Structure formats: structure tokens, C-alpha cells
CSV table of all heavy atoms in Angstrom, one decimal:
chain,number,residue,atom,x,y,z
V,314,TRP,N,0.8,-1.2,0.0
V,314,TRP,CA,0.0,0.0,0.0
V,314,TRP,C,0.9,1.3,0.0
V,314,TRP,O,0.5,2.3,-0.6
V,314,TRP,CB,-0.9,0.0,1.2
V,314,TRP,CG,-1.7,-1.3,1.2
V,314,TRP,CD1,-1.6,-2.3,2.1
V,314,TRP,CD2,-2.7,-1.7,0.3
V,314,TRP,NE1,-2.5,-3.3,1.8
V,314,TRP,CE2,-3.2,-3.0,0.7
V,314,TRP,CE3,-3.3,-1.1,-0.8
V,314,TRP,CZ2,-4.2,-3.7,0.0
V,314,TRP,CZ3,-4.3,-1.8,-1.5
V,314,TRP,CH2,-4.7,-3.0,-1.1
V,315,VAL,N,2.0,1.2,0.6
V,315,VAL,CA,3.0,2.3,0.6
V,315,VAL,C,3.4,2.5,-0.9
V,315,VAL,O,3.5,3.6,-1.4
V,315,VAL,CB,4.2,2.0,1.5
V,315,VAL,CG1,5.2,3.1,1.3
V,315,VAL,CG2,3.7,1.9,2.9
V,316,GLY,N,3.7,1.4,-1.6
V,316,GLY,CA,4.1,1.5,-2.9
V,316,GLY,C,3.0,2.0,-3.8
V,316,GLY,O,3.3,2.9,-4.7
V,317,TYR,N,1.8,1.6,-3.6
V,317,TYR,CA,0.7,2.2,-4.4
V,317,TYR,C,0.6,3.7,-4.2
V,317,TYR,O,0.4,4.5,-5.1
V,317,TYR,CB,-0.6,1.5,-4.0
V,317,TYR,CG,-1.2,0.6,-5.0
V,317,TYR,CD1,-1.3,-0.8,-4.7
V,317,TYR,CD2,-1.6,1.0,-6.3
V,317,TYR,CE1,-1.8,-1.7,-5.6
V,317,TYR,CE2,-2.1,0.1,-7.2
V,317,TYR,CZ,-2.2,-1.2,-6.9
V,317,TYR,OH,-2.7,-2.1,-7.8
V,318,ARG,N,0.7,4.1,-2.9
V,318,ARG,CA,0.6,5.6,-2.6
V,318,ARG,C,1.7,6.3,-3.3
V,318,ARG,O,1.4,7.4,-4.0
V,318,ARG,CB,0.7,5.8,-1.1
V,318,ARG,CG,0.6,7.2,-0.7
V,318,ARG,CD,1.2,7.4,0.7
V,318,ARG,NE,2.6,7.1,0.7
V,318,ARG,CZ,3.3,6.9,1.8
V,318,ARG,NH1,2.7,7.0,3.0
V,318,ARG,NH2,4.6,6.7,1.8
V,319,ASN,N,2.9,5.8,-3.2
V,319,ASN,CA,4.1,6.5,-3.8
V,319,ASN,C,3.9,6.6,-5.3
V,319,ASN,O,4.2,7.6,-6.0
V,319,ASN,CB,5.4,5.8,-3.4
V,319,ASN,CG,5.7,6.0,-2.0
V,319,ASN,OD1,5.2,6.9,-1.3
V,319,ASN,ND2,6.5,5.1,-1.4
V,320,THR,N,3.5,5.5,-5.9
V,320,THR,CA,3.4,5.4,-7.4
V,320,THR,C,2.3,6.4,-7.9
V,320,THR,O,2.5,7.0,-8.9
V,320,THR,CB,3.1,4.0,-7.9
V,320,THR,OG1,4.3,3.2,-7.6
V,320,THR,CG2,2.9,3.9,-9.4
V,321,ILE,N,1.2,6.4,-7.2
V,321,ILE,CA,0.2,7.4,-7.6
V,321,ILE,C,0.7,8.8,-7.5
V,321,ILE,O,0.5,9.6,-8.4
V,321,ILE,CB,-1.1,7.2,-6.7
V,321,ILE,CG1,-1.7,5.9,-7.0
V,321,ILE,CG2,-2.0,8.4,-6.9
V,321,ILE,CD1,-2.8,5.5,-6.0
V,322,ILE,N,1.4,9.2,-6.5
V,322,ILE,CA,2.0,10.5,-6.4
V,322,ILE,C,3.0,10.8,-7.5
V,322,ILE,O,3.0,11.8,-8.2
V,322,ILE,CB,2.7,10.7,-5.0
V,322,ILE,CG1,1.6,10.7,-3.9
V,322,ILE,CG2,3.5,12.0,-4.9
V,322,ILE,CD1,2.2,10.6,-2.5
V,323,TYR,N,3.9,9.8,-7.7
V,323,TYR,CA,4.9,10.0,-8.7
V,323,TYR,C,4.3,10.1,-10.1
V,323,TYR,O,4.7,10.9,-11.0
V,323,TYR,CB,5.9,8.8,-8.7
V,323,TYR,CG,6.7,8.6,-7.5
V,323,TYR,CD1,7.2,7.4,-7.1
V,323,TYR,CD2,7.0,9.7,-6.6
V,323,TYR,CE1,8.0,7.2,-5.9
V,323,TYR,CE2,7.7,9.6,-5.5
V,323,TYR,CZ,8.2,8.3,-5.1
V,323,TYR,OH,8.9,8.2,-4.0
V,324,THR,N,3.3,9.3,-10.4
V,324,THR,CA,2.6,9.3,-11.7
V,324,THR,C,1.9,10.6,-11.9
V,324,THR,O,2.0,11.2,-13.0
V,324,THR,CB,1.6,8.1,-11.8
V,324,THR,OG1,2.3,6.9,-11.6
V,324,THR,CG2,0.9,8.1,-13.1
V,325,ILE,N,1.1,11.1,-10.9
V,325,ILE,CA,0.4,12.3,-11.1
V,325,ILE,C,1.3,13.5,-11.3
V,325,ILE,O,1.2,14.2,-12.3
V,325,ILE,CB,-0.6,12.6,-9.9
V,325,ILE,CG1,-1.7,11.5,-9.9
V,325,ILE,CG2,-1.2,14.0,-10.0
V,325,ILE,CD1,-2.6,11.6,-8.7
V,326,PHE,N,2.2,13.7,-10.4
V,326,PHE,CA,3.1,14.9,-10.5
V,326,PHE,C,4.1,14.7,-11.6
V,326,PHE,O,4.5,15.7,-12.3
V,326,PHE,CB,3.7,15.2,-9.2
V,326,PHE,CG,2.8,15.7,-8.1
V,326,PHE,CD1,2.3,14.8,-7.2
V,326,PHE,CD2,2.4,17.0,-8.1
V,326,PHE,CE1,1.4,15.3,-6.2
V,326,PHE,CE2,1.5,17.5,-7.2
V,326,PHE,CZ,1.0,16.6,-6.2
V,327,GLY,N,4.6,13.5,-11.9
V,327,GLY,CA,5.5,13.3,-13.0
V,327,GLY,C,4.9,13.6,-14.3
V,327,GLY,O,5.5,14.2,-15.2
V,328,THR,N,3.6,13.1,-14.5
V,328,THR,CA,2.9,13.3,-15.7
V,328,THR,C,2.6,14.8,-15.9
V,328,THR,O,2.8,15.3,-17.1
V,328,THR,CB,1.6,12.5,-15.7
V,328,THR,OG1,1.9,11.1,-15.6
V,328,THR,CG2,0.9,12.7,-17.0
V,329,LEU,N,2.2,15.5,-14.9
V,329,LEU,CA,2.0,17.0,-15.0
V,329,LEU,C,3.3,17.7,-15.4
V,329,LEU,O,3.3,18.6,-16.2
V,329,LEU,CB,1.5,17.5,-13.7
V,329,LEU,CG,0.1,17.2,-13.3
V,329,LEU,CD1,-0.3,17.7,-11.9
V,329,LEU,CD2,-0.9,17.8,-14.3
V,330,TYR,N,4.4,17.2,-14.8
V,330,TYR,CA,5.7,17.8,-15.1
V,330,TYR,C,6.0,17.6,-16.6
V,330,TYR,O,6.5,18.6,-17.3
V,330,TYR,CB,6.8,17.1,-14.3
V,330,TYR,CG,8.2,17.4,-14.6
V,330,TYR,CD1,8.8,18.6,-14.3
V,330,TYR,CD2,9.0,16.5,-15.2
V,330,TYR,CE1,10.1,18.9,-14.5
V,330,TYR,CE2,10.4,16.7,-15.5
V,330,TYR,CZ,10.9,17.9,-15.2
V,330,TYR,OH,12.2,18.2,-15.5
V,331,ASN,N,5.8,16.4,-17.2
V,331,ASN,CA,6.0,16.2,-18.6
V,331,ASN,C,5.1,17.0,-19.5
V,331,ASN,O,5.5,17.6,-20.5
V,331,ASN,CB,5.7,14.7,-18.9
V,331,ASN,CG,6.8,13.8,-18.3
V,331,ASN,OD1,6.5,12.8,-17.7
V,331,ASN,ND2,8.1,14.1,-18.4
V,332,LEU,N,3.8,17.1,-19.1
V,332,LEU,CA,2.9,17.9,-19.9
V,332,LEU,C,3.2,19.4,-19.9
V,332,LEU,O,3.1,20.0,-20.9
V,332,LEU,CB,1.4,17.7,-19.3
V,332,LEU,CG,0.9,16.3,-19.5
V,332,LEU,CD1,-0.5,16.2,-18.8
V,332,LEU,CD2,0.8,15.8,-20.9
V,333,VAL,N,3.6,19.9,-18.7
V,333,VAL,CA,3.8,21.4,-18.6
V,333,VAL,C,5.0,21.7,-19.5
V,333,VAL,O,5.1,22.8,-20.0
V,333,VAL,CB,4.1,21.7,-17.1
V,333,VAL,CG1,4.7,23.1,-17.0
V,333,VAL,CG2,2.8,21.7,-16.4
V,334,LEU,N,6.0,20.8,-19.6
V,334,LEU,CA,7.2,21.1,-20.5
V,334,LEU,C,6.9,20.8,-21.9
V,334,LEU,O,7.4,21.5,-22.8
V,334,LEU,CB,8.4,20.3,-20.0
V,334,LEU,CG,8.9,20.7,-18.6
V,334,LEU,CD1,10.1,19.8,-18.2
V,334,LEU,CD2,9.3,22.1,-18.5
V,335,THR,N,6.2,19.7,-22.2
V,335,THR,CA,6.1,19.2,-23.6
V,335,THR,C,5.1,20.1,-24.4
V,335,THR,O,5.4,20.4,-25.6
V,335,THR,CB,5.7,17.7,-23.6
V,335,THR,OG1,6.6,17.0,-22.9
V,335,THR,CG2,5.5,17.2,-25.1
V,336,ILE,N,4.0,20.4,-23.9
V,336,ILE,CA,2.9,21.0,-24.7
V,336,ILE,C,3.3,22.5,-25.1
V,336,ILE,O,3.2,22.8,-26.3
V,336,ILE,CB,1.6,21.1,-23.9
V,336,ILE,CG1,1.1,19.6,-23.7
V,336,ILE,CG2,0.5,21.9,-24.6
V,336,ILE,CD1,-0.1,19.5,-22.8
V,337,PRO,N,3.8,23.3,-24.2
V,337,PRO,CA,4.3,24.6,-24.7
V,337,PRO,C,5.4,24.5,-25.7
V,337,PRO,O,5.5,25.3,-26.7
V,337,PRO,CB,4.7,25.3,-23.4
V,337,PRO,CG,4.0,24.7,-22.3
V,337,PRO,CD,3.9,23.2,-22.7
V,338,ALA,N,6.4,23.6,-25.4
V,338,ALA,CA,7.5,23.4,-26.4
V,338,ALA,C,7.0,23.0,-27.8
V,338,ALA,O,7.4,23.5,-28.8
V,338,ALA,CB,8.5,22.4,-25.8
V,339,ALA,N,6.0,22.1,-27.8
V,339,ALA,CA,5.5,21.6,-29.1
V,339,ALA,C,4.7,22.8,-29.8
V,339,ALA,O,4.8,22.9,-31.0
V,339,ALA,CB,4.5,20.5,-28.8
V,340,TYR,N,4.0,23.6,-29.0
V,340,TYR,CA,3.3,24.7,-29.6
V,340,TYR,C,4.3,25.7,-30.3
V,340,TYR,O,4.0,26.2,-31.4
V,340,TYR,CB,2.5,25.5,-28.5
V,340,TYR,CG,1.8,26.7,-29.0
V,340,TYR,CD1,0.6,26.7,-29.8
V,340,TYR,CD2,2.4,28.0,-28.7
V,340,TYR,CE1,0.0,27.8,-30.2
V,340,TYR,CE2,1.7,29.1,-29.2
V,340,TYR,CZ,0.6,29.0,-29.9
V,340,TYR,OH,0.0,30.2,-30.4
V,341,VAL,N,5.4,26.0,-29.6
V,341,VAL,CA,6.4,26.9,-30.1
V,341,VAL,C,7.0,26.3,-31.4
V,341,VAL,O,7.1,27.0,-32.4
V,341,VAL,CB,7.4,27.2,-29.1
V,341,VAL,CG1,8.6,28.0,-29.7
V,341,VAL,CG2,6.9,28.0,-27.9
V,342,MET,N,7.3,25.0,-31.3
V,342,MET,CA,7.9,24.3,-32.5
V,342,MET,C,7.0,24.2,-33.7
V,342,MET,O,7.4,24.0,-34.8
V,342,MET,CB,8.4,22.9,-32.1
V,342,MET,CG,9.5,22.9,-31.1
V,342,MET,SD,11.0,23.8,-31.6
V,342,MET,CE,11.4,22.8,-33.0
V,343,SER,N,5.7,24.3,-33.4
V,343,SER,CA,4.7,24.2,-34.5
V,343,SER,C,4.6,25.5,-35.4
V,343,SER,O,4.1,25.5,-36.5
V,343,SER,CB,3.3,23.9,-34.0
V,343,SER,OG,2.8,25.0,-33.2
V,344,LYS,N,5.2,26.6,-34.8
V,344,LYS,CA,5.2,27.8,-35.6
V,344,LYS,C,6.3,27.8,-36.6
V,344,LYS,O,7.5,27.6,-36.2
V,344,LYS,CB,5.4,29.0,-34.6
V,344,LYS,CG,4.2,29.1,-33.5
V,344,LYS,CD,2.9,29.3,-34.2
V,344,LYS,CE,1.8,29.4,-33.2
V,344,LYS,NZ,0.5,29.7,-33.8
V,345,ARG,N,6.0,28.1,-37.8
V,345,ARG,CA,7.0,28.0,-38.9
V,345,ARG,C,8.0,29.2,-38.9
V,345,ARG,O,9.1,29.1,-39.4
V,345,ARG,CB,6.3,28.0,-40.2
V,345,ARG,CG,5.3,26.8,-40.4
V,345,ARG,CD,4.8,26.6,-41.8
V,345,ARG,NE,3.8,25.6,-41.8
V,345,ARG,CZ,4.1,24.3,-41.9
V,345,ARG,NH1,5.3,23.9,-41.9
V,345,ARG,NH2,3.1,23.4,-41.9
V,346,ASN,N,7.6,30.3,-38.2
V,346,ASN,CA,8.5,31.4,-38.2
V,346,ASN,C,9.3,31.6,-36.9
V,346,ASN,O,9.9,32.6,-36.6
V,346,ASN,CB,7.7,32.7,-38.5
V,346,ASN,CG,6.6,32.9,-37.4
V,346,ASN,OD1,6.3,32.0,-36.7
V,346,ASN,ND2,6.0,34.1,-37.4
V,347,VAL,N,9.4,30.5,-36.1
V,347,VAL,CA,10.1,30.6,-34.8
V,347,VAL,C,11.6,30.7,-35.1
V,347,VAL,O,12.1,30.0,-35.9
V,347,VAL,CB,9.8,29.4,-33.9
V,347,VAL,CG1,10.2,28.1,-34.5
V,347,VAL,CG2,10.4,29.6,-32.5
V,348,PRO,N,12.3,31.6,-34.5
V,348,PRO,CA,13.8,31.8,-34.7
V,348,PRO,C,14.5,30.5,-34.3
V,348,PRO,O,14.2,29.9,-33.3
V,348,PRO,CB,14.1,33.0,-33.8
V,348,PRO,CG,12.9,33.7,-33.6
V,348,PRO,CD,11.8,32.7,-33.6
V,349,PHE,N,15.4,30.1,-35.2
V,349,PHE,CA,16.3,28.9,-34.9
V,349,PHE,C,15.4,27.7,-34.7
V,349,PHE,O,15.8,26.8,-34.0
V,349,PHE,CB,17.2,29.1,-33.7
V,349,PHE,CG,18.0,30.4,-33.8
V,349,PHE,CD1,17.7,31.5,-32.9
V,349,PHE,CD2,19.1,30.5,-34.7
V,349,PHE,CE1,18.4,32.6,-33.0
V,349,PHE,CE2,19.8,31.7,-34.7
V,349,PHE,CZ,19.5,32.8,-33.9
V,350,GLY,N,14.3,27.6,-35.4
V,350,GLY,CA,13.4,26.5,-35.2
V,350,GLY,C,14.0,25.1,-35.6
V,350,GLY,O,13.9,24.1,-34.9
V,351,LYS,N,14.7,25.1,-36.7
V,351,LYS,CA,15.3,23.9,-37.2
V,351,LYS,C,16.4,23.4,-36.2
V,351,LYS,O,16.6,22.2,-36.0
V,351,LYS,CB,15.9,24.1,-38.6
V,351,LYS,CG,14.8,24.2,-39.7
V,351,LYS,CD,15.4,24.2,-41.1
V,351,LYS,CE,14.4,24.3,-42.1
V,351,LYS,NZ,15.0,24.3,-43.5
V,352,ALA,N,17.2,24.4,-35.8
V,352,ALA,CA,18.3,24.0,-34.8
V,352,ALA,C,17.7,23.5,-33.5
V,352,ALA,O,18.3,22.5,-33.0
V,352,ALA,CB,19.2,25.3,-34.5
V,353,ILE,N,16.7,24.1,-33.0
V,353,ILE,CA,16.0,23.6,-31.8
V,353,ILE,C,15.5,22.2,-32.0
V,353,ILE,O,15.6,21.3,-31.2
V,353,ILE,CB,14.9,24.5,-31.3
V,353,ILE,CG1,15.5,25.9,-31.0
V,353,ILE,CG2,14.2,24.0,-30.1
V,353,ILE,CD1,14.5,27.0,-30.7
């Protein structure tokens, strides 16, 4: 039960961490006129 609790916490906050970083980065990269887009 300790493992279940920890995994739920790690999954929720870890997934939020991934989403908060990935979605804005993908939005910026989707813009064709972003500076240094190809290099990034």
C-alpha cells in the first residue's frame, strides 16, 4: 500500500511535469517562423 501511494504521487506529478514542459514546447515548435526552429 505504501508502494501504491508513492506510485500514484509519482505518476500524477511526474505526468504533470511532462505535460507542462512538452505542450508549450510543441506549440512553439509548430510555428514556422520561430527563430532557430530547425536548430532547436
